[in-house]
Amino acid sequence: MDLLSKEVYFTGENGQGKSNLLEALYYSSYASSFRTHTDSELIKNGEKSMSLRTIYREENGNVHTTFIVIENGHKKIEKDGKIIHDRKELINTMPCVLYSHDDLDFAEGSPERRRFFLDQSLSMYDVMYIDVLRRYRRILKNRNLCLKEKKYELFDTYDIQLIMNGLEIQKKRKDAVFQFNQIFEKMYENVSGIAGVNIRYLPSWKSQDEASLPNIDEIMELVKSKRDVERSLGTTMTGPHRDRIVFIKDGVQFIPTASTGQRRLVALVLRTAQAVFYTQVTGKKPVLLMDDVLLELDPEKRKRLTAMLPDYDQLFCTFLPGEPYENYRHETTRVYKIENGSWTESK
């Protein structure tokens, strides 16, 4: 199979292996799957190991290689021939933006899923954000353990650490949402015809002046005021892990009254905005992976959305039989029919 074309389409019935190919590309980029959190599930039934090697050439001619092996419950990652011990070192090697059915969660799912999308967008290019997010989660875990074990004497130490790292997270999230809105609102209007839909960031730690983030003293006062409730519930009640991201139109939340189609479009435009955002911040073109998502739109909206895709390094799409992918392909697009894990090229 030749994957060097700028656009590659995979077509076939469900369960034939189309998404596996996208998963392999995604795994090469992040050493994690978008379909499972358990690496052992990636290994073929009856086998004890799996390996994945990828060669990626940037526009400037630089070539990177990745090699990932999972064997006996252990994962080894190599980048450019050197073993790496942290997945964050893969960041920016082969930047993939994935469109999938599960993206609907970013529109109508839990606050945790929306925070995940925002954190993912930042983590794609900002290694420092990955570090501060990890520190915050570690401190939060320890603080919650203190609550469960009633070791309240450690609160002051953990609280200041929680606040310092949490404020950094809030600042980066706030800035990212501001930049996202410059992209998302216009894009959603162009595809849907609905104007004024934008993203609102609602941090758990608020200042009296909503235009700015609170200072350390304000947050410490809030955190201390919640301690009695936290002792009863056994969990930390404030902080970035309680932040919310909502979609607003005309001053009220948009999603509760939006149609299913409008919600799906929110998710698709979010992904497209993520790709545009990445390019604006880094100057690099992403690799787009689209897993059976265009069929969710009517023909006119499909046309509008595909016309607004950012300039990409490569595009990989999966389609079910009968989908009008001929409407999207270009002269150099390669199309492969996938059946029982094998492929044949379609002319």
Side-chain angles (χ1 to χ4, degrees), residues 307-326:
M308 292 193 328
L309 290 177
D311 195 9
Y312 46 80
D313 187 274
Q314 283 185 286
L315 169 66
F316 297 89
C317 293
T318 64
F319 295 98
L320 291 169
E323 284 190 68
Y325 60 81
E326 294 290 345

Side-chain angles (χ1 to χ4, degrees), residues 23-24 27 39-44 47-53 67-72 74-76:
E23 186 176 29
Y27 202 86
D39 284 334
S40 61
E41 293 180 2
L42 300 174
I43 300 174
K44 184 178 179 179
E47 301 293 336
K48 297 181 179 179
S49 64
M50 65 84 75
S51 63
L52 185 62
R53 186 185 299 274
F67 181 55
I68 305 173
V69 177
I70 301 174
E71 188 171 20
N72 298 323
H74 297 287
K75 178 162 57 181
K76 183 179 75 172

Side-chain angles (χ1 to χ4, degrees), residues 144-341:
N144 284 337
L145 187 61
C146 288
L147 281 167
K148 289 179 172 61
E149 295 179 351
K150 304 186 185 303
K151 295 180 179 179
Y152 305 133
E153 68 277 5
L154 298 176
F155 266 18
D156 287 340
T157 299
Y158 282 128
D159 284 355
I160 190 63
Q161 295 176 11
L162 196 79
I163 291 168
M164 295 299 291
N165 288 279
L167 266 178
E168 184 65 21
I169 291 171
Q170 285 197 340
K171 180 180 183 304
K172 288 181 180 289
R173 285 178 175 174
K174 183 173 183 288
D175 291 345
V177 169
F178 176 80
Q179 293 180 65
F180 247 82
N181 270 326
Q182 315 310 306
I183 306 166
F184 176 85
E185 186 172 345
K186 294 177 183 177
M187 193 175 287
Y188 191 78
E189 180 179 0
N190 288 341
V191 179
S192 69
I194 302 173
V197 179
N198 58 76
I199 308 167
R200 183 78 55 84
Y201 174 48
L202 304 176
S204 173
W205 296 332
K206 300 182 181 67
S207 174
Q208 292 183 347
D209 175 14
E210 292 190 2
S212 61
L213 292 173
N215 59 44
I216 293 175
D217 291 337
E218 287 178 303
I219 301 174
M220 182 61 79
E221 185 177 343
L222 173 63
V223 169
K224 287 183 177 180
S225 72
K226 299 291 184 181
R227 285 182 178 178
D228 287 342
V229 175
E230 290 175 341
R231 289 185 180 111
S232 299
L233 298 177
T235 190
T236 302
M237 298 299 296
T238 68
H241 62 292
R242 300 276 181 172
D243 288 353
R244 296 172 60 225
I245 295 96
V246 297
F247 299 91
I248 299 294
K249 175 175 166 52
D250 299 329
V252 298
Q253 290 200 38
F254 175 66
I255 295 300
T257 58
S259 68
T260 300
Q262 290 167 343
R263 295 178 185 185
R264 291 190 184 280
L265 198 55
V266 165
L268 287 166
V269 173
L270 267 180
R271 277 302 190 196
T272 306
Q274 185 183 60
V276 173
F277 177 67
Y278 175 81
T279 298
Q280 287 182 353
V281 173
T282 67
K284 296 182 178 182
K285 298 176 184 178
V287 175
L288 305 184
L289 310 177
M290 307 186 78
D291 193 15
D292 283 349
V293 291
L294 290 179
L295 79 165
E296 299 173 349
L297 303 177
D298 62 54
E300 181 58 31
K301 288 187 174 63
R302 291 186 198 184
K303 184 177 178 181
R304 292 179 190 173
L305 182 70
T306 53
M308 292 193 328
L309 290 177
D311 195 9
Y312 46 80
D313 187 274
Q314 283 185 286
L315 169 66
F316 297 89
C317 293
T318 64
F319 295 98
L320 291 169
E323 284 190 68
Y325 60 81
E326 294 290 345
N327 296 341
Y328 319 125
R329 69 179 297 181
H330 298 93
E331 189 173 323
T332 58
T333 303
R334 288 185 175 271
V335 180
Y336 293 93
K337 181 179 180 181
I338 310 300
E339 188 172 8
N340 294 323

Side-chain angles (χ1 to χ4, degrees), residues 98-112:
L98 171 77
Y99 295 72
S100 77
H101 294 291
D102 291 342
D103 291 352
L104 186 58
D105 282 353
F106 302 144
E108 64 182 21
S110 67
E112 181 181 12

